[in-house]
Amino acid sequence: MEQVLIALLVFVAVVFGVGVYAAVKAKRALEQRFAQRAPIARRRAEDLALRARTLTRPGTPGRVAQLRLDLRTSLDSTRRVLEAGASTDPQLTEALQLCERLEKQAVELDGELRMLEQEPSTGRERLKTKLPELADRAERIGHAADSLRWAAQDRARHTSEDELTELSREVEMEAGALRHWAPSPVEGNAPRREATAKKRDELKD
């Protein structure tokens, strides 16, 4: 009886331990998933807020919001193109590193633009004074990011065209080989057998 009771207690302890382990593991998985998705959700919310401000806040504040939005859009598009191409083209790895350096510059500039955007009405003159310089920096960063993206796209297009040209050449060679075939032994011996039979008939006559 005591052995049965001990076995039952051990079984309950094992089940409880497995349940606790599964619960802890599930909690960690949920926390990791939330940690991964939270920045994406926050970024989307910020982008939507910027789009709204470009439409609802005319003048300099709207211009600042548009600069921030354009800068984010340009860098995000460039990163997506480079990451997609780097998996098959190692040459794009260096371009991706340059994109990361541009992103650091963009983060610093975005912080400055955000602070200016939050200036009270009494600081509007300062905003107007600083805006041309910040707009120039934003344009330079955006142009650099666009150049990387366009170069990567041109490279991918050129590679595809080269592959298509080579594939077309191979197809033409194979098609030409298929159109020229040697007669089979049976086909080659048929005329010879006919000639032999004809001579035999002539001798009989």
Side-chain angles (χ1 to χ4, degrees), residues 35-165:
Q36 292 174 353
R37 294 184 178 181
I40 299 175
R42 183 167 56 251
R43 178 61 180 269
R44 289 179 178 175
E46 291 177 355
D47 290 347
L48 288 175
L50 286 174
R51 290 184 187 278
R53 286 201 289 273
T54 60
L55 299 174
T56 59
R57 299 180 64 182
T60 304
R63 171 62 175 159
V64 172
Q66 187 66 55
L67 284 174
R68 294 180 61 196
L69 184 61
D70 291 344
L71 197 59
R72 291 181 175 207
T73 302
S74 177
L75 286 166
D76 288 347
S77 300
T78 300
R79 172 168 281 279
R80 284 195 297 269
V81 170
L82 294 179
E83 285 180 342
S87 59
T88 56
D89 188 353
Q91 292 290 338
L92 295 180
T93 303
E94 185 175 352
L96 191 56
Q97 294 174 353
L98 292 175
C99 180
E100 292 174 353
R101 293 171 59 184
L102 285 173
E103 287 175 338
K104 292 180 180 179
Q105 293 284 335
V107 169
E108 294 178 2
L109 178 57
D110 187 75
E112 295 182 43
L113 289 170
R114 185 188 297 110
M115 287 189 296
L116 284 178
E117 194 178 16
Q118 296 172 353
E119 282 283 345
S121 57
T122 55
R124 293 294 171 81
E125 291 300 324
R126 181 173 181 272
L127 176 58
K128 291 181 180 180
T129 303
K130 294 283 294 182
L131 185 58
E133 175 193 349
L134 298 179
D136 179 68
R137 285 171 57 191
E139 183 178 356
R140 289 166 60 190
I141 295 173
H143 178 70
D146 292 341
S147 297
L148 283 177
R149 184 176 68 256
W150 295 334
Q153 291 171 340
D154 291 342
R155 179 180 177 85
R157 189 180 305 109
H158 182 71
T159 301
S160 298
E161 291 176 355
D162 288 347
E163 291 178 354
L164 179 58
T165 300

